[in-house]
């Protein structure tokens, strides 16, 4: 009789054990599939310049059902490194923190103003010498109400990076100038990788605080 | 008799089936573990400048049992953004492809020469105007036998990136100058992420081929 009782128990234990192992492995497999799927999602992109000059009006147009008909003589509808850069910037919904040495490109200035009109909080940190040079957009952006600070300590505030919504990092050799975009060999790297985005957010916050004009004025008095 | 034959067959099939499933899931699990382990290994680092000036002699010294005693007045043994950059470059065992606008830093020039003496294949692509400016290391490196090409088409060859052993990318705003390292706000991003490294390798190869002097001379004739 004991034999009859022990056999089903052993069998049940075996089945339960096998079931548990299979369940565990299946869960791991699903987790692996999920991670694999997720690991493909975060954006990782490298853009090179110079890029050909194309019409970018459609990127600034309000969303309508009709496609925008632009009469300008430039090629339309092209996907270039510059249109991709604009699209990444225009994807901002809450914040744009920009840390750039030279900013003279009018389309990029228009991008900043459009984002501000949509309620995106824009902060610009720039170089004290370059910002007053002819062609710089910093004055116009300041007059339009954009928060701008300039680095007071370094010889050059030579960074060229932007953080979109505290999530997307755009960084590289590219200044925000026409020459950089249309004539130079340049690169930008676009990534959502948190380990890379986080240090740039910290750097921006530190420089933003260190160059607060109220702190600067009080240290002068 | 057929029954006796069919039962072991069915059992064997069941065991084989279960075995196969278990094996498959175990393989996936091991693969998942391996990926998890590997995903932690690839280097991802962001370095900011300016950095304090410290002694870097120990990085160039031949490996000995005795610690190097340097009599210079600079701080010794510090781990700065610059020493980290040098360490990454000195980790090269087969190749260093460097694409840099301005190169005037003597320690970085010394790094290139040390790598060459170790048999590392070094290629430098640089800017045609900056390379002939006072303080540029390009002339000295060329005279020492380093392969150097300069970009002929762009207004500025403004890249600042290096690829170590076709594996490690170093890119950012930092030119290879003393001012950049000691006085400017600068960044470099160091990564082994293949999706980011690969485009830079392609860009280097394209520029290297496009600026082959023999091709240039033949197109002039």
């Amino acid at each position: 009789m004991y034999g009859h009782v022990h056999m089903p128990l052993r069998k049940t234990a075996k089945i339960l054990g096998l079931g548990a192992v299979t369940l565990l492995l299946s869960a791991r497999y699903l987790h692996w599939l999920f991670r694999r799927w997720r690991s493909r999602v975060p954006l990782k992109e490298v853009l090179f310049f110079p890029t050909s000059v194309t019409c970018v009006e459609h990127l600034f147009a309000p969303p309508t059902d009709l496609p925008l008909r632009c009469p300008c003589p430039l090629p339309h509808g092209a996907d270039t490194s510059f249109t991709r850069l604009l699209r990444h910037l225009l994807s901002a919904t809450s914040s744009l923190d920009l840390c750039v040495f030279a900013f003279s490109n009018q389309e990029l200035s228009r991008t900043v103003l459009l984002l501000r009109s949509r309620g995106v909080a824009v902060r610009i940190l720039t170089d004290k010498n370059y910002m007053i040079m002819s062609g710089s957009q910093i004055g116009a952006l300041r007059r339009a109400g954009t928060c701008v600070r300039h680095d007071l300590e370094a010889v050059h505030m030579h960074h060229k990076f932007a953080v979109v919504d505290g999530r997307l990092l755009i960084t590289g050799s590219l200044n925000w100038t026409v020459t950089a975009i249309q004539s130079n060999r340049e690169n930008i790297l676009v990534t959502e990788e948190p380990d890379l985005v986080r240090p740039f957010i910290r750097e921006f916050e530190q420089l933003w605080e260190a160059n607060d004009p109220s702190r600067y004025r009080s240290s002068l008095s």
Side-chain angles (χ1 to χ4, degrees), chain A:
Chain A
M1 197 183 161
Y2 280 112
H4 282 281
V5 172
H6 281 167
M7 277 303 282
L9 263 178
R10 245 185 258 153
K11 265 193 181 170
T12 312
K14 260 189 193 172
I15 289 164
L16 281 176
L18 249 170
V21 168
T22 311
L23 202 69
L24 182 77
L25 292 173
S26 304
R28 289 299 194 195
Y29 183 33
L30 285 173
H31 187 106
W32 173 79
L33 277 176
F34 177 65
R35 276 176 65 95
R36 203 176 162 186
W37 170 76
R38 262 199 61 195
S39 70
R40 287 193 182 168
V41 175
L43 195 74
K44 258 176 285 175
E45 191 176 19
V46 181
L47 301 173
F48 291 104
F49 297 81
T51 184
S52 51
V53 185
T54 63
C55 178
V56 293
E57 282 308 311
H58 59 293
L59 299 174
F60 298 111
T64 57
D65 292 333
L66 291 170
L68 181 82
R69 286 188 193 177
C70 175
C72 85
L74 294 171
H76 289 81
D79 191 30
T80 69
S81 291
F82 187 50
T83 62
R84 295 196 69 76
L85 168 61
L86 291 178
R87 278 184 202 280
H88 286 309
L89 293 168
L90 288 167
S91 75
T93 56
S94 62
S95 68
L96 173 69
D97 290 334
L98 172 63
C99 198
V100 71
F101 172 61
F103 188 164
S104 59
N105 183 288
Q106 290 194 349
E107 271 96 12
L108 286 164
S109 180
R110 203 173 152 194
T111 303
V112 168
L113 294 175
L114 181 57
L115 289 176
R116 288 202 64 233
S117 76
R118 291 178 184 168
V120 172
V122 178
R123 297 187 291 179
I124 302 177
L125 201 94
T126 191
D127 182 70
K128 59 185 179 299
N129 299 314
Y130 196 90
M131 65 183 273
I132 51 169
M133 283 176 103
S134 163
S136 170
Q137 292 292 312
I138 297 295
L141 287 166
R142 255 189 174 156
R143 283 190 294 278
T146 318
C147 288
V148 178
R149 292 184 183 175
H150 53 273
D151 191 74
L152 297 159
E153 285 182 10
V155 170
H156 288 306
M157 204 308 295
H158 202 243
H159 285 310
K160 308 110 177 23
F161 72 84
V163 180
V164 175
D165 292 344
R167 168 190 55 83
L168 182 78
L169 169 70
I170 302 170
T171 186
S173 68
L174 186 97
N175 280 303
W176 284 27
T177 67
V178 177
T179 309
I181 289 157
Q182 295 179 11
S183 310
N184 288 356
R185 300 275 178 216
E186 306 270 6
N187 65 77
I188 50 175
L189 192 151
V190 185
T191 179
E192 285 178 335
E193 169 58 54
D195 291 346
L196 297 176
V197 182
R198 228 177 286 119
F200 281 90
I201 293 176
R202 270 202 303 272
E203 175 78 353
F204 188 90
E205 294 298 343
Q206 277 172 15
L207 292 182
W208 190 254
E209 285 311 311
N211 295 291
D212 180 348
S214 66
R215 183 182 293 193
Y216 176 61
R217 278 192 204 106
S218 65
S219 72
L220 281 180
S221 59

